[in-house]
Amino acid sequence: MKIAVMGGDGFIGWPTSLHLSDTGHDVHILDNLSRRWIDTELGVQSLTPMDSIQERTRIWHAETGRRIHFNLIDLAKDYELLKKWLAENRPDAIIHFAEQRAAPYSMKSDRHKNYTVNNNVNATHNLLNALVELQLDAHLIHLGTMGVYGYSTVGAAIPEGYLPVGIQTANGETVSQEILYPSNPGSIYHMTKCLDQLLFHFYAKNDGLRITDLHQGIVWGTHTEQTCRHPQLINRFDYDGDYGTVLNRFLIQAAIGYPLTVHGTGGQTRAFIHIQDSVRCIELALNNPPARGARVEIFNQMTETHRVRDLAEMIAKLSGAEIAWLPNPRKEAPENELIVKNEKFRSLGLDPITLQAGLLSEIVDVAKKFAYRVDRSRVPAVSAWTKDIAATINRDPEGKRLKSVS
């Protein structure tokens, strides 16, 4: 298939592009390279040294003989350019990663909130709008988040997208319906993914677009089979308080002798998936598209759940690292349960990679190799959800700042 990977220069987009190219697909990346500009804005860099997208694709061609094409297009701003590219290339499938992906970044300030809404919602709508205008019957696969469900404590298993409900009619009868599981976003970033859901629901119903929405858990790991083939194909790896995911951050902190930063009680239960499984799930979704006119297909793209404090304690035992218990910059329940259904991917043949000491050690080894690139001042999570919470943030978990003498 000819596949357009929107946001193919990113943390999941790049290994997905390599994986699909390796399986024989004709891959075209469309990206505005905004994630690289955000690194510049934040004054932080990927732990792993990344070449330009042009150099990355050149190395891939040299190693495999396969070409990945790159197009500099901003989906949120360049609607006519996007539409022109789609009209000329008419891909069979589109994988949509082209959104600002970090909840903490989306909550840094009013400017970051506006940017996240404008970028994410406009990118999604521009893409849907162009597909309808061009009458392009491409299967659209979107990388969403488990965060659209929120993190409730009701104890019931979260279904894959749709919730059966009984509604009482005016004459007292109860009728059954399936509705989108009620959204409960915990940040502006998660809120944009909830808006994506509604856009998908409308365009599938109104225009018959074929859409798969993947509600993904927190991604951990560094390598996929393809990124291991050459040092310059390595994936980006974020450790900072805005973009670093919790398990990867713990492993980097352990590698550099930094306290494992647990915010609040650590009782937040989250869903996780290894990066190799993430790209495999996208391929499975690609090969199992919904029929035209069907409702949006929704998968819960996760393989296991863990409490944050349990992860910290596990890493501390493996590495001897200390745990720092810090105020929570997020506005969330201190403890939650999370039971998630994920039978769809398992029924399609996914054999999940679960947390293993070997894979965790692999990440620590990568962190140690590139530890010289770490700016320790960027490790703390300091983006607060409200102004009141901001006043409580611990910006110095290591306790290294000079104290004033009274």
Side-chain angles (χ1 to χ4, degrees):
M1 285 187 278
K2 180 184 284 188
I3 301 174
V5 182
M6 313 299 191
D9 186 48
F11 175 51
I12 310 294
W14 175 244
T16 299
S17 298
L18 296 185
H19 182 82
L20 295 177
S21 177
D22 203 30
T23 56
H25 297 294
D26 178 17
V27 175
H28 298 251
I29 290 174
L30 282 68
D31 203 302
N32 67 353
L33 306 182
S34 61
R35 184 64 192 86
R36 294 174 184 255
W37 285 106
I38 289 171
D39 275 348
T40 302
E41 174 206 345
L42 296 178
V44 71
Q45 60 186 348
S46 165
L47 177 75
T48 49
M50 288 166 50
D51 282 316
S52 69
I53 185 65
Q54 292 86 351
E55 180 66 4
R56 284 172 135 185
T57 55
R58 186 191 71 79
I59 292 292
W60 178 248
H61 179 249
E63 288 292 307
T64 66
R66 298 187 177 279
R67 291 197 182 278
I68 294 176
H69 309 273
F70 170 66
N71 305 270
L72 183 64
I73 297 177
D74 189 325
L75 267 65
K77 296 179 180 177
D78 301 335
Y79 175 71
E80 293 301 330
L81 189 59
L82 168 65
K83 190 166 73 168
K84 182 174 184 290
W85 188 92
L86 291 171
E88 291 174 353
N89 289 274
R90 301 196 74 85
D92 302 296
I94 297 168
I95 304 174
H96 177 23
F97 300 115
E99 295 181 276
Q100 192 292 104
R101 67 170 178 84
Y105 184 85
S106 76
M107 301 297 289
K108 288 182 78 68
S109 71
D110 55 349
R111 179 175 67 83
H112 294 88
K113 292 175 182 177
N114 283 341
Y115 169 75
T116 301
V117 172
N118 291 337
N119 182 81
N120 293 7
V121 180
N122 284 341
T124 296
H125 188 258
N126 282 349
L127 181 54
L128 295 166
N129 201 12
L131 291 176
V132 172
E133 185 66 19
L134 297 170
Q135 297 183 313
L136 179 54
D137 184 28
H139 176 203
L140 174 60
I141 299 170
H142 171 255
L143 192 68
T145 171
M146 288 293 301
V148 298
Y149 301 124
Y151 298 105
S152 68
T153 57
V154 297
I158 293 175
E160 300 205 69
Y162 297 97
L163 180 69
V165 297
I167 301 174
Q168 192 168 34
T169 64
N171 61 12
E173 295 179 0
T174 298
V175 295
S176 297
Q177 265 195 312
E178 276 201 322
I179 62 171
L180 278 173
Y181 193 91
S183 298
N184 188 19
S187 71
I188 291 294
Y189 156 74
H190 291 104
M191 187 269 294
T192 64
K193 296 290 190 176
C194 295
L195 295 176
D196 285 343
Q197 277 199 126
L198 293 176
L199 288 170
F200 296 144
H201 179 74
F202 172 79
Y203 274 97
K205 178 185 68 172
N206 193 68
D207 299 288
L209 294 189
R210 296 184 295 133
I211 302 171
T212 298
D213 198 10
L214 306 176
H215 293 171
Q216 181 162 265
I218 295 169
V219 179
W220 65 282
T222 48
H223 301 308
T224 64
E225 179 187 338
Q226 292 76 28
T227 62
C228 289
R229 291 189 186 171
H230 190 282
Q232 288 174 274
L233 296 176
I234 196 166
N235 198 23
R236 76 171 298 121
F237 194 68
D238 299 305
Y239 66 87
D240 63 286
D242 285 319
Y243 276 89
T245 60
V246 62
L247 180 54
N248 280 356
R249 273 169 53 80
F250 283 164
L251 292 163
I252 289 173
Q253 288 166 353
I256 65 171
Y258 198 100
L260 308 184
T261 52
V262 177
H263 297 278
T265 68
Q268 307 94 330
T269 305
R270 297 291 186 261
F272 292 86
I273 185 169
H274 189 271
I275 193 166
Q276 181 72 63
D277 278 345
S278 183
V279 300
R280 174 71 177 128
C281 285
I282 290 161
E283 182 187 15
L284 288 171
L286 185 68
N287 293 334
N288 293 274
R292 186 166 179 84
R295 70 182 184 180
V296 177
E297 183 67 77
I298 298 175
F299 292 83
N300 287 338
Q301 188 163 306
M302 50 72 65
T303 55
E304 55 192 321
T305 59
H306 297 279
R307 287 191 189 277
V308 170
R309 62 170 171 258
D310 294 338
L311 292 176
E313 287 163 3
M314 179 178 66
I315 303 304
K317 286 178 183 176
L318 283 173
S319 64
E322 295 181 358
I323 299 176
W325 302 89
L326 305 176
N328 192 350
R330 301 186 182 215
K331 188 173 183 178
E332 61 183 353
E335 306 267 336
N336 75 283
E337 302 293 333
L338 187 63
I339 308 166
V340 183
K341 292 184 177 180
N342 67 340
E343 287 89 352
K344 287 185 181 180
F345 274 131
R346 288 179 178 271
S347 70
L348 294 175
L350 179 68
D351 183 16
I353 297 168
T354 53
L355 276 122
Q356 303 161 21
L359 286 172
L360 297 176
S361 299
E362 174 188 286
I363 299 168
V364 173
D365 291 343
V366 170
K368 287 180 177 176
K369 179 179 179 181
F370 296 110
Y372 68 92
R373 292 172 56 84
V374 173
D375 179 351
R376 298 176 85 94
S377 71
R378 302 299 176 182
V379 173
V382 297
S383 296
W385 263 230
T386 68
K387 287 181 169 58
D388 290 341
I389 292 173
T392 70
I393 298 304
N394 184 337
R395 299 172 183 271
D396 184 25
E398 293 188 284
K400 287 189 172 182
R401 291 201 172 87
L402 292 173
K403 306 295 189 294
S404 61
V405 178
S406 56

